[in-house]
């Protein structure tokens, strides 16, 4: 999901609804580094974590349902100079097979994107 202009796909009610009969992934951050990486499937939010602190994910009950996130966890360690933002996007690429390049963003993806707020 590409979020633009206050879409709020990271919110549990929105991401859950977007995942009806599907899987939905969300990567969110703002200028203050508040962030969430989230995964929902079949209408249920399964996992939402803070990308800056992968060590806190160890006991998340649904981490096993997103194995690519577990595999990428060591690369989220921002204190070692790594980019947790790039790693979060790379995790979605690894999971979905979509290459999130500038060219990809410029293409039309009505089933993956929104350009405005969504009513709850």
């Amino acid at each position: 999901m590409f979020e633009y202009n206050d879409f709020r796909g990271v919110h549990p009610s929105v991401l859950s609804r977007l995942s009806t009969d599907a899987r939905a992934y969300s990567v969110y951050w703002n200028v203050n580094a508040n962030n969430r990486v989230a995964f929902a499937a079949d209408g249920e939010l399964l996992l939402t974590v803070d990308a800056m602190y992968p060590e806190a994910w160890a006991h998340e009950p649904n981490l096993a349902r997103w194995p690519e996130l577990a595999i990428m966890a060591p690369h989220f360690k921002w204190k070692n100079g790594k980019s947790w933002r790039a790693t979060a996007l790379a995790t979605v690429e690894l999971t979905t097979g979509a290459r999130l390049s500038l060219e990809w963003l410029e293409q039309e993806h009505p089933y993956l994107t929104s350009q405005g707020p969504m009513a709850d």
Side-chain angles (χ1 to χ4, degrees):
M1 173 177 1
F2 170 66
E3 298 191 35
Y4 175 73
N5 238 4
D6 203 29
F7 182 59
R8 302 185 192 272
V10 74
H11 289 230
S13 62
V14 175
L15 195 60
S16 294
R17 188 170 48 230
L18 290 172
S19 75
T20 301
D21 298 324
R23 291 174 172 244
Y25 302 90
S26 178
V27 175
Y28 163 83
W29 68 82
N30 66 17
V31 297
N32 298 320
N34 294 317
N35 72 85
R36 299 311 291 165
V37 175
F39 162 55
D42 298 319
E44 179 184 358
L45 180 66
L46 297 172
L47 184 65
T48 180
V49 297
D50 186 320
M52 294 178 70
Y53 301 100
E55 63 277 359
W57 310 345
H59 301 294
E60 288 290 337
N62 287 320
L63 185 59
R65 298 204 45 197
W66 191 0
E68 297 86 357
L69 183 64
I71 290 166
M72 294 294 285
H75 303 287
F76 279 88
K77 297 194 181 218
W78 61 276
K79 291 181 182 177
N80 295 335
K82 296 183 180 183
S83 172
W84 58 267
R85 292 173 187 92
T87 302
L89 293 173
T91 301
V92 172
E93 287 183 338
L94 179 65
T95 303
T96 64
R99 178 71 173 106
L100 304 178
S101 64
L102 181 58
E103 293 80 17
W104 184 89
L105 291 173
E106 291 174 347
Q107 295 172 4
E108 187 172 332
H109 300 287
Y111 56 93
L112 291 174
T113 64
S114 176
Q115 294 186 354
M118 183 176 193
D120 284 334

